[in-house]
Amino acid sequence: MDSIVLITTATAPPRGMIYLQTVDVATRSIAAKAAVFSWATQGIEKIVIADATGRVLLDQNEVSMLKKMNVEVEQICYFQDDEVVKQKGKGYAEGMVMQFALQNSEFLKGAASFFKCTGKIYCRNFKKLREVIHHHQIQNMFWKTVDRDGFFSRWTDTRFYYTTTEFFTENVLPKYLVCDDSVTAIESLCFHMLNEKLPSMRSLRPYLFGFCGGTGQLYEDVNLGELDRAFPCWANN
């Protein structure tokens, strides 16, 4: 099973974006590099880094070093419209960079499926998740979110998921492109869409770790006990 992870970044975001605390380039660059290097230890064969602010994250020495680990890296970027992004927020901005990636990435061109991960984080148990997806021939897999009190919210965790290109293009991307954070978060839009499009089930929970640009803090590394092995999600095969 080939594996491609699409990592979305905004290395130099505009100031004044809603729900975005960390805007300095140094912090965002280092956090994103740390996540990419961690991904390289998880068995990923190809990494697409798509940046919406015209920045290239890794230098050639770093790309060459990853290649020695049998990890191929493709870096693409464009300049987003900062005024529109400030108005609509992070969900819309991420949708635009993913649309750009699908249209311009050589790795994603013709790819039947891919993993998507928001920049600055990585999945610590990726190898096990990939085995589950491969064993059950899963086509699409998205996970729910848990609030700080341990209750399931009516949100999808859009930081990390697995999707076919077709399902993403037809069902997921349109939600990003109409998203306005001042009205409804992308996590809520995807929650309702997935309830209509995919069966609900339980599976292994992704252990996501890294830096949150929205809060300016590291994500907490929590243990949910039995839920870690039977976490609510949407999936189909």
Side-chain angles (χ1 to χ4, degrees), residues 97-219:
V97 76
M98 287 190 288
Q99 178 175 253
F100 170 80
L102 286 175
Q103 293 171 349
N104 293 275
S105 166
E106 291 298 321
F107 287 0
L108 291 173
K109 189 178 297 182
S113 59
F114 60 93
F115 292 90
K116 176 268 178 181
C117 190
T118 300
K120 303 183 296 302
I121 67 173
Y122 68 100
C123 179
R124 291 194 296 107
N125 60 340
F126 173 75
K127 290 182 180 180
K128 290 184 178 179
L129 281 172
R130 185 168 63 170
E131 289 174 2
V132 169
I133 289 170
H134 179 66
H135 178 74
H136 294 285
Q137 298 183 319
I138 291 173
Q139 301 294 306
N140 302 281
M141 198 166 195
F142 299 76
W143 288 266
K144 295 185 179 181
T145 61
V146 176
D147 63 24
R148 292 181 178 180
D149 297 319
F151 296 103
F152 290 106
S153 66
R154 295 175 63 82
W155 276 22
T156 303
D157 192 338
T158 58
R159 295 174 299 168
F160 173 77
Y161 48 79
Y162 178 69
T163 179
T164 63
T165 303
E166 180 181 11
F167 185 84
F168 178 82
T169 302
E170 293 182 359
N171 299 287
V172 183
L173 182 59
K175 298 303 179 184
Y176 279 93
L177 298 184
V178 300
C179 183
D180 184 335
D181 283 355
S182 65
V183 179
T184 307
I186 185 60
E187 293 86 351
S188 176
L189 292 174
C190 284
F191 178 90
H192 295 291
M193 178 273 293
L194 290 167
N195 276 339
E196 294 179 0
K197 300 294 183 178
L198 296 179
S200 296
M201 55 185 64
R202 289 179 180 262
S203 185
L204 189 67
R205 177 177 73 93
Y207 297 163
L208 302 180
F209 187 71
F211 187 81
C212 176
T215 64
Q217 303 292 326
L218 289 174
Y219 286 107

